[in-house]
Amino acid sequence: MIVLPNARAAFFLACNQRFTSIKAAGDLLRAVRGLRPAGGEPIIAIHEFAPSLTPSVDEIRAAFGAQSVLRLPVCWAELADSVNRGVPMTLDGPSDYVDNLAQCCAGLGLLPEGTSMRESVQTVRGWARKLMGILP
């Protein structure tokens, strides 16, 4: 992140259930809180690849004292494959991961009202392609 979004902007801070990821996200969250004491909190997007293991999404939320958390269920192999290929999981097709992300974005008003879930997913994929520099 080069510049923090304005104080009212919604943005995501991602981590997974690994302690190194939680520590790094916690460090960044503390920095954001210090730089934007009156600004809105980021939404903690947690890649949950082991729902039955500790720390759970609720434990991570409690550790951060986070106001808002987005649970993104994913298999570790899928997440690793996505990173290794350099292709965001939003471009991989329908999944619980994409459904949860689209529902969160719709709740934040980032997707057009009355848009179906399938259309929302296409919008999220379009944003991801633009961020990656891939033409739609």
Side-chain angles (χ1 to χ4, degrees), residues 34-103:
L35 293 170
R36 293 181 5 154
E41 289 265 323
I43 298 162
I44 308 300
I46 303 171
H47 292 96
E48 182 186 46
F49 48 82
S52 61
L53 295 181
T54 297
S56 68
V57 170
D58 289 334
E59 290 168 331
I60 295 169
R61 176 200 304 254
F64 287 153
Q67 296 172 3
S68 184
V69 170
L70 170 61
R71 179 185 162 272
L72 295 170
V74 62
C75 294
W76 176 249
E78 292 172 349
L79 183 60
D81 185 51
S82 173
V83 171
N84 289 336
R85 289 184 297 124
V87 177
M89 293 193 60
T90 55
L91 300 179
D92 277 345
S95 67
D96 288 343
Y97 181 96
V98 173
D99 289 347
N100 286 4
L101 181 58
Q103 287 172 354

